[in-house]
Amino acid sequence: MMLKKRDIPQHRRLYETLRKHIVDGVYLEGDLLPSENELCRLYGMTRPTVRQSLGNLSADGYIRKHQGKGSIVHYLPREIGILSVSGTTTAVGDRNLKTRIIVKPVLMPWPGDFMFPLNDLEKESGCIYMERLRLLDGVPIFYDITYIASINLPRITSRQFEDRSLFKILREHYQIEIKGGEQRIKAINATPKINRFLKMRRGEPVLHLERKMETSTAGLHLYSSIFCNTAKYSIYGRF
Amino acid sequence: MMLKKRDIPQHRRLYETLRKHIVDGVYLEGDLLPSENELCRLYGMTRPTVRQSLGNLSADGYIRKHQGKGSIVHYLPREIGILSVSGTTTAVGDRNLKTRIIVKPVLMPWPGDFMFPLNDLEKESGCIYMERLRLLDGVPIFYDITYIASINLPRITSRQFEDRSLFKILREHYQIEIKGGEQRIKAINATPKINRFLKMRRGEPVLHLERKMETSTAGLHLYSSIFCNTAKYSIYGRF
DNA sequence: TATTTTTACTTGTTAATACAAGTAGAATCG
DNA sequence: CGATTCTACTTGTATTAACAAGTAAAAATA
């Protein structure tokens, strides 16, 4: 049997369709999704396929399933949801979020005492370094230092990062998707350098995140050290 | 066909078995798990059932699947993994973690300006309030204020909470499981009260988490406000 | 009328089957 | 010997089938 649209699996397409309907408000929070059998009829697939879509939606927090009742829409991270899954830009929307480049992407050796252990390939390749400042409604909120292993990323140091997400560039130009990762979170006192960028007073508390992100390209990781002014906004997450 | 062990699904039992083997070190990080067909033979189930177990392990970060290669063990949160999925006790192990009750569970009305919106049933029911202090290797790390709606939890205020996790009590005595939740994270300056409990100096930064947890019982939520001394340990999480 | 039972849904579990697609090493060919 | 092709694995996708278990409202009963 042939596939309908350039080899994107059916369960994936249904997932994207339903997810889009949820974030666009076609289905509101608390709404009951069409039943599995109804979705089968609507989209012309069998129940295991539909169930895979719904299972993924459930795992990603978009719906809650209840045996005997149905699948209920459970989408809430709309308030000030930042840093939940992949990039910061996607979560808060491009509306109020501006990015200012402090240090343009530059190829350099890895720092001596790096926050995560590196594999041999990463060590050899050298690292692409950049610093960015994210402003929410004109107020600096994130000061972001990013490290990427320089593996198969031609011309990346010459690309424009203004007004676009790093994740978008990786996806569109290099077909690289963020698949997950790990992070360490702690509260620290702002250093003078952080104070300058985040416009905070001396001694004010700052949230510090150290993240390692895995991509669809095996062995390629993104690392970032993020300093966050949480005086006005909180970091929001689901688990 | 009969079920083998008190109605726990096969895919769930295989999940628990493999998960235990991974955290116990039977399979080490980087190891290749037995192939799906091999697991079918070993545990006497069919491939869709085995695949459901592996899919859940993958979603929970214990393995990574690679088409054409196999399932590779990817368990790392062993360093100081706290607050990753459900409870704090499970993640770090009961070894070094001691719990001290500051305020024993007591029934009281909800605070006036609560950190999360409450539904009508929760408002009516009143709230069970408790304060705990968690010590890691004798050093106070978490100061934890917990709120639970008083819905179908007989005798909970008279239970012993020393040396056991709240989650364990809910699971064993009330068959309530934590299924997920949301949280807000920010960095604050320690208040005198927090300083006293966490033994910190004035002006030191503290991590503040506000969490809402969903349970297997519809409408029953756990809320907690956690203050964390991250000077020595970081909060670790996967996404 | 109030309670209980039935019924018609819903999702959950499991099986048996088939083929597609990616991987890695063995076998073959130049 | 080196590069290519083949082959035997692996996981990914999808169908069809059947029954279990939970839910809620309709129907029957007291």
Side-chain angles (χ1 to χ4, degrees):
Chain A
M1 178 75 64
M2 65 153 199
L3 290 175
K4 275 159 200 163
K5 262 190 179 179
R6 27 175 161 142
D7 281 40
I8 295 173
Q10 295 186 54
H11 71 84
R12 189 71 204 167
R13 284 194 291 131
L14 178 55
Y15 171 97
E16 294 295 350
T17 301
L18 293 175
R19 184 192 157 283
K20 193 165 192 317
H21 286 173
I22 291 171
V23 301
D24 287 352
V26 178
Y27 299 117
L28 299 178
E29 190 180 333
D31 279 5
L32 218 53
L33 241 50
S35 81
E36 296 180 352
N37 284 315
E38 212 160 336
L39 290 170
C40 293
R41 284 194 295 276
L42 284 170
Y43 294 92
M45 32 186 98
T46 56
R47 220 177 121 219
T49 308
V50 167
R51 279 180 64 75
Q52 185 160 358
S53 310
L54 295 179
N56 290 336
L57 285 169
S58 174
D60 294 348
Y62 290 99
I63 62 171
R64 276 298 116 110
K65 309 178 83 181
H66 293 281
Q67 186 172 0
K69 239 198 267 185
S71 298
I72 293 170
V73 175
H74 186 75
Y75 182 68
L76 21 131
R78 64 188 153 294
E79 33 168 326
I80 179 64
I82 293 179
L83 285 167
S84 45
V85 185
S86 26
T88 68
T89 308
T90 52
V92 81
D94 301 70
R95 300 177 297 283
N96 334 321
L97 189 64
K98 289 270 180 291
T99 302
R100 187 184 301 162
I101 308 293
I102 305 296
V103 175
K104 281 199 281 193
V106 56
L107 187 60
M108 60 186 285
W110 292 93
D113 188 25
F114 197 61
M115 52 184 170
F116 287 99
L118 297 167
N119 63 43
D120 293 339
L121 180 57
E122 286 175 321
K123 279 181 205 161
E124 289 170 15
S125 308
C127 110
I128 294 159
Y129 178 95
M130 63 186 293
E131 293 184 21
R132 290 175 298 175
L133 196 63
R134 319 294 189 89
L135 300 93
L136 209 52
D137 296 325
V139 181
I141 298 292
F142 295 104
Y143 172 54
D144 183 325
I145 304 170
T146 303
Y147 307 84
I148 319 174
S150 178
I151 303 171
N152 287 329
L153 299 171
R155 293 191 312 284
I156 195 168
T157 53
S158 59
R159 291 201 181 276
Q160 281 295 337
F161 281 88
E162 315 281 349
D163 284 356
R164 14 169 122 192
S165 160
L166 170 60
F167 298 100
K168 203 177 286 181
I169 289 178
L170 287 174
R171 186 173 62 244
E172 291 172 2
H173 293 281
Y174 305 97
Q175 286 77 45
I176 291 170
E177 296 268 2
I178 307 298
K179 297 186 77 174
E182 46 183 311
Q183 60 186 357
R184 290 190 295 262
I185 311 175
K186 55 169 51 186
I188 62 168
N189 269 324
T191 63
K193 184 184 180 186
I194 296 165
N195 278 336
R196 193 169 71 246
F197 286 125
L198 293 182
K199 287 183 181 155
M200 298 175 74
R201 284 191 303 276
R202 188 177 151 75
E204 278 193 288
V206 173
L207 201 66
H208 184 205
L209 291 95
E210 292 177 315
R211 320 184 101 197
K212 173 181 182 176
M213 281 159 279
E214 293 155 21
T215 68
S216 47
T217 301
L220 181 64
H221 300 108
L222 269 66
Y223 303 92
S224 60
S225 183
I226 305 170
F227 300 91
C228 179
N229 179 351
T230 55
K232 197 173 167 191
Y233 300 107
S234 295
I235 299 294
Y236 179 91
R238 300 193 51 76
F239 57 94
Chain B
M1 177 73 65
M2 63 154 202
L3 291 175
K4 275 161 200 163
K5 263 191 178 179
R6 29 174 162 144
D7 282 41
I8 295 173
Q10 295 187 50
H11 70 82
R12 187 72 202 167
R13 284 194 292 132
L14 178 57
Y15 171 96
E16 294 295 350
T17 301
L18 293 175
R19 184 192 157 283
K20 193 163 191 313
H21 286 174
I22 291 171
V23 301
D24 287 352
V26 178
Y27 299 118
L28 298 177
E29 191 180 334
D31 279 5
L32 218 53
L33 240 51
S35 81
E36 297 180 351
N37 285 315
E38 211 160 336
L39 290 170
C40 293
R41 283 194 295 276
L42 284 170
Y43 293 92
M45 33 186 97
T46 57
R47 198 149 85 95
T49 309
V50 168
R51 279 181 64 76
Q52 186 159 356
S53 310
L54 294 180
N56 290 335
L57 284 169
S58 174
D60 294 349
Y62 290 99
I63 62 172
R64 270 309 108 111
K65 308 179 83 183
H66 293 281
Q67 187 173 359
K69 242 198 267 184
S71 298
I72 293 170
V73 175
H74 186 73
Y75 181 69
L76 23 131
R78 63 188 157 295
E79 33 167 327
I80 181 63
I82 293 180
L83 287 167
S84 46
V85 185
S86 25
T88 67
T89 308
T90 52
V92 82
D94 301 70
R95 300 178 297 282
N96 334 323
L97 189 64
K98 290 270 180 292
T99 302
R100 186 184 301 163
I101 309 294
I102 305 296
V103 175
K104 281 199 280 193
V106 56
L107 188 60
M108 59 185 286
W110 292 92
D113 188 24
F114 197 61
M115 53 182 170
F116 287 99
L118 297 167
N119 63 42
D120 294 339
L121 180 57
E122 287 175 320
K123 279 182 204 160
E124 288 170 16
S125 309
C127 108
I128 294 159
Y129 178 94
M130 65 186 293
E131 293 184 20
R132 289 174 299 175
L133 196 64
R134 318 294 188 89
L135 300 94
L136 210 52
D137 296 324
V139 181
I141 299 291
F142 295 106
Y143 172 54
D144 184 327
I145 304 171
T146 304
Y147 308 83
I148 318 173
S150 177
I151 303 171
N152 287 328
L153 299 172
R155 294 192 311 284
I156 195 169
T157 54
S158 59
R159 291 202 183 275
Q160 281 296 337
F161 279 88
E162 315 282 348
D163 283 356
R164 18 167 119 192
S165 160
L166 170 61
F167 298 99
K168 203 178 286 182
I169 289 178
L170 288 174
R171 186 173 63 243
E172 291 173 2
H173 293 282
Y174 304 96
Q175 285 79 47
I176 292 170
E177 296 268 2
I178 306 298
K179 297 186 75 173
E182 47 184 311
Q183 61 186 358
R184 290 190 295 261
I185 311 175
K186 55 168 51 186
I188 61 168
N189 268 324
T191 64
K193 185 184 180 186
I194 295 164
N195 277 335
R196 193 169 69 246
F197 286 124
L198 293 182
K199 288 184 180 154
M200 298 174 76
R201 284 192 304 275
R202 186 177 154 74
E204 278 193 288
V206 173
L207 200 67
H208 185 205
L209 290 97
E210 293 177 315
R211 318 184 103 197
K212 173 182 183 177
M213 282 160 278
E214 293 154 22
T215 69
S216 47
T217 301
L220 180 64
H221 300 108
L222 269 66
Y223 302 92
S224 61
S225 183
I226 305 171
F227 300 92
C228 179
N229 179 351
T230 56
K232 197 173 166 192
Y233 300 107
S234 296
I235 299 294
Y236 180 91
R238 299 193 54 76
F239 56 93

